Amino acid sequence: MAAEAPSLVTLESIQARIDRTPYNSWLRLRAVAASASRVEFELQARQEFVSTPERQIIHGGVLAALVDAAAIYAVIAASGSLHTTIDLRVDYHAPAEIGLLRATGSIVRLGKTVTCAEARVESRAGKLVASGRGNFMNIGIQA
């Protein structure tokens, strides 16, 4: 099996972009891996993300943000260009609770103008809690 191609941007540059993007910085996303075809993030889900206090369940909007971020950063890693989300679908598979979440984004089809990518969000135990797919438009700025 051939090794994955390296990302067109570094893991450090992905994390720097996250850190200077107010919403992603507030989420405290942490980039942990990047190649030309996939990226991985970790997020420590915390109390302020809870939408159902009785069960300590994380709000679906936080999971949707993880799907969006993982998918769009996979696009950035593959293309070396900034993109914006033009369509996003999220499926919720199980309740996510406070704790470590891992999001993995990968390319479905890399295009010059519009790229399709998908993402999975799993609990620390590896349970799939959300997944999704989106289309992302190149905005013509190098990452």
Side-chain angles (χ1 to χ4, degrees), residues 90-136:
V90 177
D91 295 311
Y92 301 96
H93 305 287
E97 298 175 345
I98 289 177
L100 186 70
L101 296 173
R102 180 173 282 258
T104 304
S106 59
I107 299 298
V108 174
R109 180 187 174 278
L110 185 63
K112 290 181 182 177
T113 304
V114 176
T115 293
C116 182
E118 60 191 6
R120 297 172 55 90
V121 180
E122 297 177 347
S123 69
R124 179 188 300 267
K127 182 177 184 178
L128 180 65
V129 296
S131 64
R133 178 180 280 211
N135 290 304
F136 305 91

Side-chain angles (χ1 to χ4, degrees), residues 10-131:
T10 66
L11 188 60
E12 294 77 17
S13 68
I14 290 172
Q15 187 63 55
R17 179 159 297 283
I18 288 167
D19 292 343
R20 69 176 190 266
T21 305
Y23 185 71
N24 290 336
S25 178
W26 175 78
L27 286 173
R28 298 183 196 149
L29 284 178
R30 189 168 54 103
V32 295
S35 71
S37 61
R38 69 189 272 135
V39 296
E40 291 183 34
F41 293 97
E42 288 183 348
L43 171 78
Q44 184 63 43
R46 51 194 193 269
Q47 187 64 40
E48 61 194 306
F49 297 168
V50 169
S51 67
T52 308
E54 297 79 10
R55 293 224 19 234
Q56 297 293 292
I57 305 245
I58 303 306
H59 191 281
V62 172
L63 298 175
L66 275 172
V67 167
D68 187 41
I72 202 165
Y73 279 101
V75 173
I76 292 168
S79 69
S81 298
L82 299 184
H83 286 64
T84 190
T85 306
I86 57 175
D87 180 58
L88 184 69
R89 175 197 166 93
V90 177
D91 295 311
Y92 301 96
H93 305 287
E97 298 175 345
I98 289 177
L100 186 70
L101 296 173
R102 180 173 282 258
T104 304
S106 59
I107 299 298
V108 174
R109 180 187 174 278
L110 185 63
K112 290 181 182 177
T113 304
V114 176
T115 293
C116 182
E118 60 191 6
R120 297 172 55 90
V121 180
E122 297 177 347
S123 69
R124 179 188 300 267
K127 182 177 184 178
L128 180 65
V129 296
S131 64

